Each structure stands twice: as C-alpha cells, then as structure tokens.
Amino acid sequence: MIESSLRGNIIYKEDISDGACPVKVDLAELELAIVNLAVNARDAMPNGGTFTLSIHNVVAGHEHGKERPTGAFVPITFSDTGMGIPPHLLSKIFDPFFTTKEVGKGSGLGLSQVYGFAHQAGGTVTAESKIGHGTTITMYLPACTDEQITDEHAPAKKTEQVQRPTVLIVDDSAEVAEVTASLFEHLGYATIYRDSADAALRLLDDGAKIDLVFSDIVMPGPIDGVGLAREIRSLYPDLPVVLTTGYSDAAQAAPSNLRILRKPFDTDALRDFIQDLSEKSLAT
C-alpha cells in the first residue's frame, strides 16, 4: 500500500520495534491517513529520497502544546528526506484545503484527515520539519491493552445498526472532495462522491438515497453548482442542497435563496452550518 503510493526513485524503509504494542483504531481511516502521508512525502521528494515508517515502544501521556492526552500511546512516525516546510507554514498543514503545492498541482495536502483521525481515535499528531532536510510527522495512537485484546475475541454483542445520513459531494477536484468527505465522516455522515453535476443528477435519477447534496459552485461542464441546485430543487424539492466556493465573485453572483458555505472551512464550521440548516428546515 505504501510503496504503491511512492515513486521508483524513493526508497521505503521500516523501523518497527520488537513487541510493538497494537492499537485499536478504524483500519480504513488508518490506511487513508498512511496513504495521505506517503503521497505528501512523495510530492516533497521530486528527485527521489527516502521515506521511513517507524513504530516505537509505548510512551506515557504525550503533551503537545495545549493538548494533554493521558494514557499510553504508540508513536507511529513518518519521515521523508524532502524539501521541508517553512516554519511559518508548518502550523497550517493540518488545516482543511491548505496546500504548499503550486497552482494546478493539487488542491490540498489531505492532512486534515490525518489530524481528524488521530484526534478521533483519542490521540494526537505532531509535525517537525527543516528546510532542505525533510519532514517528520508522528501520530500518537492509544495503545491497546491486554484486556482490550482479550475482549476483542469475546463473543460480539448484538447492537442495533444505526443508519448514517448520506451526503452526496459534488466537486471536479477529487482531492478537495476527499478532504470534504473526511470532515463529513468525522461528523457521522456517510459520503458518496461525483465529479460533475451531470453525474450527480444521474445518481439521483437512479434512485440513490441521498439526505444532502454538497456541491462546489465553480465546475467545468454545461451545469455548474448553481445549475445543479436549480435542477435538484425542481426535480427533488425535499432534498437539501448546500453550495460551497472559495471565490467571492461566485458566492456573490449566486441567487440569495441558495445556501452557501464559504471555503476554507473546518469541522466545527461545517457542523455549525449543517446544524443551522437543519434548524431552519424544521422551522419552515
């Protein structure tokens, strides 16, 4: 998985301590976080280099800035020998939609997913970097105790399956959509992605059960986000539609009766916006 995310001119190394303690996390989210970190390391080493994954012994409660998670943690460290990140940008790399990449070479680093995953798991994540010497990112994930491992093999208790609401994310940028999806998923939503208004309308026409459509305004093709919202309101009047954009002109030009969330936004801003949307819907 990691090596397939790198290039042939990048050497992949592992440094895993004997008897490393297991962690209890969502495997799919962990794999996505690792891929995000590997892809960013690859892009930081255009001329090749080394990417190293290290897993060390358990450490006690880790303190990082104002964060003081308590308990035992397994540090999983990802290091590259790339270009490095300037100090004034290092504190921003976990923000949604933030990127150090040139225009046309990606819309974001995808590291907000890493941040969200680590904190949702009960841990944290840190980053260190030096220009010309590379970057090191460490995820501190809660260690799985012997008792927890034993319990995992016990007969599973029957629990009622909770149906999560589904959000259809429409954006011509797969990278931006991935970040948006991670924010929604951290709020408890399931997500489906389509890269154009036409594809979104075909999905709805096929009868997919969607609870909310979240679409970028500026998209190539015959129908942009505003046009998509109009089509949905005409065909599916009970289906809520939220538009988003980072362009002031596009937001100002949109009809005033459309709901617009301005980029960039984080999980808290998205949660507040959706909650406000729900309250207004109930009031009408």
Side-chain angles (χ1 to χ4, degrees):
M1 177 182 68
I2 295 178
E3 291 181 290
S4 64
S5 301
L6 304 174
R7 287 190 309 274
N9 62 349
I10 296 176
I11 299 172
Y12 171 60
K13 294 183 177 181
E14 290 183 351
D15 179 17
I16 301 176
S17 300
D18 293 336
C21 185
V23 295
K24 190 173 184 179
V25 297
D26 184 297
L27 180 58
E29 288 290 319
L30 174 61
E31 290 179 347
L32 179 57
I34 292 174
V35 168
N36 276 333
L37 291 167
V39 168
N40 279 283
R42 177 197 68 194
D43 293 344
M45 297 183 286
N47 299 318
T50 301
F51 180 64
T52 304
L53 182 154
S54 304
I55 301 178
H56 306 292
N57 293 323
V58 175
V59 298
H62 179 75
E63 180 174 331
H64 176 62
K66 296 181 180 180
E67 300 174 6
R68 295 177 174 82
T70 59
F73 293 87
V74 177
I76 305 178
T77 302
F78 306 83
S79 302
D80 66 61
T81 57
M83 298 176 288
I85 301 172
H88 69 285
L89 297 180
L90 190 60
S91 63
K92 301 178 181 180
I93 65 172
F94 296 115
D95 294 347
F97 306 111
F98 176 76
T99 181
T100 58
K101 300 176 183 178
E102 299 175 7
V103 175
K105 294 188 177 180
S107 303
L109 297 177
L111 296 182
S112 64
Q113 183 274 334
V114 177
Y115 180 91
F117 160 69
H119 283 76
Q120 188 179 47
T124 187
V125 60
T126 65
E128 299 177 358
S129 189
K130 187 175 181 180
I131 296 296
H133 291 80
T135 300
T136 296
I137 293 179
T138 302
M139 289 192 296
Y140 292 86
L141 301 178
C144 189
T145 65
D146 292 339
E147 181 180 349
Q148 289 172 318
I149 295 173
T150 302
D151 289 344
E152 193 170 296
H153 293 287
K157 296 181 180 179
K158 292 184 179 180
T159 58
E160 184 178 348
Q161 187 69 25
V162 178
Q163 185 68 35
R164 295 190 296 165
T166 301
V167 178
L168 171 58
I169 297 172
V170 188
D171 200 305
D172 60 299
S173 170
E175 289 185 345
V176 171
E178 181 180 290
V179 174
T180 303
S182 71
L183 297 182
F184 269 109
E185 287 164 3
H186 292 149
L187 293 178
Y189 293 84
T191 60
I192 298 176
Y193 167 62
R194 290 295 183 269
D195 62 0
S196 69
D198 285 337
L201 290 171
R202 286 197 298 271
L203 178 70
L204 294 173
D205 187 52
D206 289 339
K209 186 182 183 306
I210 303 297
D211 298 288
L212 172 70
V213 175
F214 191 87
S215 174
D216 193 23
I217 292 181
V218 181
M219 294 188 293
I223 308 177
D224 63 3
V226 172
L228 174 62
R230 287 172 176 160
E231 287 289 323
I232 291 175
R233 285 190 167 185
S234 174
L235 298 171
Y236 313 97
D238 295 329
L239 178 58
V241 182
V242 172
L243 300 180
T244 184
T245 184
Y247 298 99
S248 298
D249 292 345
Q252 293 171 0
S256 59
N257 63 339
L258 294 179
R259 303 175 179 94
I260 300 176
L261 177 61
R262 297 291 296 274
K263 297 178 182 178
F265 54 84
D266 57 14
T267 307
D268 290 336
L270 180 60
R271 179 191 295 109
D272 293 344
F273 189 91
I274 298 301
Q275 183 175 350
D276 183 63
L277 175 66
S278 300
E279 291 174 352
K280 288 181 178 178
S281 297
L282 289 173
T284 57

